[in-house]
Structure formats: C-alpha cells, structure tokens
Amino acid sequence: MNLFRKKSIQDLLQEAGQKDIVLKKDLGAFDLSMLGIGAIIGTGIFVLTGVAAAEHAGPALILSFIISGFACAFAALCYAEFASTVPVSGSAYTYSYATFGELIAWILGWDLILEYGFASSAVASGWSGYLQGLLAGFGIHFPKAITSAYDPANGTYIDVPAVLIIVIITLLLTQGVKKSARFNTIMVIIKLAIVLLFIGVGAWYVKPSNWTPFMPFGFSGVTAGAATVFFAYIGFDAVSTAAEEVKNPQKNMPIGIIVSLLVCTVLYIAVSAILTGIVPYQELGVKNPVAFALNYIHQDWVAGFISLGAIAGITTVLLVLLYGQSRLFYAISRDGLLPKVFSKVDKNKQTPMTNSWIICLLVSIFAGLVPLNKLAELTNIGTLFAFMTVSVGILYLRKNKQAPKTGFRVPFVPYIPILAFVFCGYLIVQLPKTTWISFGVWLVIGLFVYFGYGRKHSTLNKTVDPLKKS
C-alpha cells in the first residue's frame, strides 16, 4: 500500500457532492470575512499583546505584529488559491491530500486537530477568566472549587464557566451554519466597536517617552514576540475549513481570507502602538492588558466596556475554532482515516451533529480539568507547520499544472510561496525547545493512530491498484 497515494482535485470535488446528505451552502464573502475577523481578533489582542510586550519585544511589539502579518499575508495568498481551487472542507489537510499524498495529509490533519482542539480549550479558559472578572465587579462570585482547572492545592477542581460556554457554542453550531454565522457577525461588530473605542480614547494619552527604548530586548526579542503573537493570526486558516458551505467559493473564499487578515493586521498594529504608548512596557505583563491600560489612565468606564468586548471577542474565537475543528474531523472521517461517525450529517440541520457533540465533550474535559499553560506555543507550531506545507503545495500545483486557470491565483509565483515558507520557517525556529518536544510526541501518537486505524480504513483502499491489476 502506497503511503503517498493521492486524490486528484477532480476526485475531491466529486466526493464532496456524492453523499446523500451534504453540507448546506449558505455563506457569502461577508460571512467569511466576519468568520475570519471573529477568529483573529480575540485572545491575541486582549491577552497576548501585554505578555509579548513585557517579556519579548517592548514597544517594538509593532514590528512583531508586522513580521507575523507579513508571514500570514504570504501564506494567506497561498491558502486563497487552494481554497478557490479545492473548495472542500478540511483546509490544509485536504490540500495536502491532493499534492503530497495520504501520509502527509494525515500528519497535517493530526497537526490541525492539535491546533483547533487545544486552542479551543485555552480560549474557553480565557473566556471564563474574563467573565469571572466582570461579574466580580458587580459583587458576584462563583464557589472557588468550580472557577479553574484541577488544582486541589489551590482549592479548584473544575472550570465550570469554561465547560458551559463550550456547550452553549456547540448548541449554536448544531443549529446550522447560517445561524452561527449571523451570531458571529453580531459579536464581531460589537468587538470591532470596542477595539475602535480603545483606539479613539487611548490615542489621546500616548506618551512618546514610553516608546524609548524602542527595542529593549534587541531584534531577537522582536522575533520572539512575533512567534508569540502569531497565535493572534490563526483565524484565516479556520475560514478555509468553511469552503464546502460557501456560495461561489472561487470568488468568495479569497475575499474572506484576505479581507479578514488585512483588517486585523491594521487593528493589531494600532492597538499595540497605543498600548505601549500609554503604559511602560515593563508593566504590561497582565492577563487583561487593554483594560489595564485604560485603568492606568483612569478611564475606568471604558475599561468596563473593554471587558465586555473581550468576552464578545473571545466568544467568536471559540465559535470559529470549534466550527473549524468539526469540519476538519468531518473531512478526515469522510476519507476513512477516522471513524465514520465524524462524517455523519444531520438530515434537518445539514451539520455534522454527532461530530460536534463529541468534540464538545473532549474540549470540555481539557478546558475544565487541565491547566493549559503552553497552549499558545503549541497552537503556533501547529499553525506554522501547516502554513509552510501549504506554501510548498502551491509550487507543486504549478509545477504539475494541476490547478485550473479559473479562480484566484497567487501572484509572483514562485516568490510569494517561497517568502511564505521562509517567514514561517523563521518564526517556527524561534519557539522553545519544550514546544518542539511536545509537538514531536503528538505527531508520534498520530502515526500510531494512522497505522493502527486510518491506513486500513482509508477510502482509497477501495480503488484497485493498476499495478496489481496488470
């Protein structure tokens, strides 16, 4: 059995429409842009900006976001061509099946399961923290035992708010993609208004002296900061998982991916500049840096709105991550590499219902019981690995002339894909050694799953090998 057997683009497109019950095509360019912004603006802007400034980049955090933004921009163009060419659920997993073959596709899929699943758990924990902080302002407190992950020494056993938000978001996702997208759009508009409020108020309190020294940790600090805040940009990858539910994907997928990335990059740069201009970078190592900055300048009323915006922002991130995870499992299961229960679609809602609730259970266990301190770095290494593979995949597509000449095409090939690979490769080597070890262990587990289950149950086993036939 060939470990690198492939599915042609034509086969992937044909299979997507072969099932009796298929995913409903309900999304347009605006919905996709909102999904991308919903996933990108959240934990990154409300949490990671402060830590990255205080520990890595200082005021040069602006440069960190620009470097990460460039890496993502080049990768986004590559994603946009694949999403236009192969409008099928599964993101980088599906693209790799068409270019590199089954084993590499499985590794990418397993990698993305890590990215979406653990990131969802971490985001749910962050949501819980913001909600408890907001309620504490009104004198409302949960019993300590149910406020955080399992830590008997600290008196905590389960993070109930984190579990509840995962269940609520899953309930919404199982009602159909259009309802989920509508809810996401409302929350994104609230979130953007809050971010613009911070920019409008905070700009008047910037002290240029706080930007000196501009690069206190040197350029290595800037690149370490870029590797850290890269977590903030992973949302457009989730947009590509929606491909099978998009009207006119050849046109709308590239618009959704590129618009969401451009909007968020501009906002990140503006927020990081104002944040480090208001508060000396040494004091920004807090969990809520944006609200902290407004309290610092005694704009407490705005800080309250920021907390609400953070809750809205983190909610949409969780929604898009859980959505992306369910569509990823759906695509892998349809290919036979995971049990068929994950690709079962509800007749009425036209969504993978059982799949969504299984993911809800797994993510709830991690979010409710396990302290997840290194999730941002683990998510980053998984995302960067996927971006690098997709970039190389564009070169393969062009060399073998597999891609149709209609739809979006990356300009300046091979330079853009090469730049995407180099930028992402530079960022991935900045991550700590422990992150690489954890990632390696995860991939080894994935190989056991593939050789123990996936290889035997792959739908490609049903295809007669022409060499054997002869």
Side-chain angles (χ1 to χ4, degrees):
M1 293 172 64
N2 187 356
L3 296 178
F4 300 99
R5 52 194 175 179
K6 301 170 187 173
K7 288 190 175 183
S8 69
I9 292 173
Q10 291 72 24
D11 289 341
L12 289 168
L13 294 174
Q14 188 176 359
E15 284 177 7
Q18 268 183 352
K19 293 189 69 172
D20 294 332
I21 308 166
V22 296
L23 299 174
K24 191 174 183 181
K25 294 184 181 295
D26 248 343
L27 303 177
F30 178 77
D31 298 313
L32 290 171
S33 299
M34 289 296 104
L35 277 176
I37 295 170
I40 296 171
I41 295 183
T43 309
I45 205 165
F46 292 115
V47 179
L48 290 179
T49 45
V51 175
E55 298 181 4
H56 300 297
L61 179 65
I62 302 168
L63 298 181
S64 298
F65 273 112
I66 291 173
I67 291 171
S68 286
F70 267 114
C72 286
F74 295 138
L77 292 171
C78 298
Y79 263 87
E81 177 167 334
F82 265 119
S84 175
T85 305
V86 194
V88 178
S89 291
S91 183
Y93 158 77
T94 300
Y95 309 154
S96 295
Y97 223 139
T99 50
F100 302 116
E102 187 171 276
L103 180 61
I104 302 300
W106 166 258
I107 291 172
L108 256 292
W110 189 250
D111 162 51
L112 290 171
I113 287 172
L114 169 76
E115 174 191 331
Y116 286 118
F118 284 2
S120 298
S121 302
V123 170
S125 299
W127 186 94
S128 172
Y130 263 98
L131 177 70
Q132 290 177 53
L134 183 66
L135 293 178
F138 294 99
I140 301 171
H141 301 276
F142 291 103
K144 189 174 182 180
I146 63 170
T147 59
S148 193
Y150 185 78
D151 184 6
N154 196 36
T156 59
Y157 293 89
I158 184 171
D159 193 340
V160 169
V163 173
L164 284 177
I165 189 58
I166 292 167
V167 172
I168 291 169
I169 293 297
T170 302
L171 187 62
L172 175 64
L173 286 171
T174 55
Q175 299 308 302
V177 70
K178 192 63 179 178
K179 289 181 180 178
S180 302
R182 194 176 297 129
F183 172 80
N184 177 71
T185 298
I186 294 169
M187 300 297 275
V188 166
I189 290 170
I190 294 171
K191 175 165 58 175
L192 289 176
I194 294 295
V195 172
L196 292 173
L197 176 65
F198 170 75
I199 293 171
V201 172
W204 298 97
Y205 294 88
V206 168
K207 294 181 180 178
S209 59
N210 285 332
W211 290 331
T212 313
F214 183 68
M215 206 181 290
F217 302 99
F219 190 71
S220 61
V222 173
T223 55
T228 301
V229 300
F230 193 84
F231 180 84
Y233 282 109
I234 67 171
F236 76 82
D237 175 79
V239 174
S240 65
T241 65
E244 231 169 288
E245 293 161 278
V246 177
K247 296 175 285 189
N248 193 1
Q250 285 76 16
K251 175 185 175 184
N252 291 331
M253 288 300 299
I255 292 174
I257 290 171
I258 295 168
V259 168
S260 59
L261 181 63
L262 287 175
V263 169
C264 295
T265 300
V266 170
L267 290 177
Y268 273 144
I269 292 170
V271 168
S272 58
I274 291 170
L275 197 62
T276 54
I278 293 175
V279 184
Y281 72 89
Q282 302 94 327
E283 299 180 38
L284 282 172
V286 294
K287 292 182 179 180
N288 57 340
V290 178
F292 175 80
L294 291 166
N295 287 323
Y296 190 86
I297 57 177
H298 307 295
Q299 296 293 324
D300 297 339
W301 67 275
V302 185
F305 279 109
I306 292 295
S307 294
L308 280 173
I311 291 172
I314 295 173
T315 300
T316 60
V317 174
L318 184 58
L319 184 146
V320 180
L321 287 174
L322 288 173
Y323 170 83
Q325 179 77 298
S326 68
R327 272 41 178 189
L328 176 65
F329 272 103
Y330 171 82
I332 298 175
S333 169
R334 187 169 59 191
D335 293 330
L337 304 184
L338 284 175
K340 287 298 180 186
V341 66
F342 289 104
S343 56
K344 186 178 179 182
V345 177
D346 182 79
K347 290 182 180 179
N348 298 320
K349 303 294 184 182
Q350 289 182 271
T351 59
M353 190 83 71
T354 308
N355 166 344
S356 298
W357 285 111
I358 292 172
I359 290 168
C360 172
L361 176 64
L362 295 174
V363 173
S364 295
I365 291 171
F366 282 105
L369 299 176
V370 183
L372 301 169
N373 300 325
K374 292 291 183 181
L375 276 179
E377 290 173 352
L378 272 172
T379 303
N380 285 349
I381 196 169
T383 308
L384 286 163
F385 182 66
F387 286 5
M388 291 168 72
T389 307
V390 169
S391 303
V392 175
I394 291 294
L395 297 176
Y396 181 92
L397 272 186
R398 294 297 180 85
K399 182 181 178 182
N400 291 274
K401 298 179 179 178
Q402 283 193 25
K405 295 185 178 180
T406 57
F408 180 83
R409 287 169 69 83
V410 178
F412 308 114
V413 172
Y415 305 109
I416 294 292
I418 290 172
L419 283 171
F421 184 88
V422 170
F423 266 80
C424 293
Y426 183 73
L427 289 178
I428 204 169
V429 299
Q430 307 301 316
L431 292 168
K433 182 180 178 181
T434 52
T435 303
W436 279 93
I437 294 171
S438 301
F439 184 60
V441 170
W442 177 254
L443 291 185
V444 169
I445 294 171
L447 289 175
F448 276 106
V449 174
Y450 173 72
F451 286 104
Y453 180 90
R455 188 180 179 190
K456 299 174 185 175
H457 294 84
S458 170
T459 55
L460 289 185
N461 290 341
K462 299 173 185 176
T463 305
V464 178
D465 189 332
L467 292 178
K468 290 181 179 179
K469 189 177 180 181
S470 61

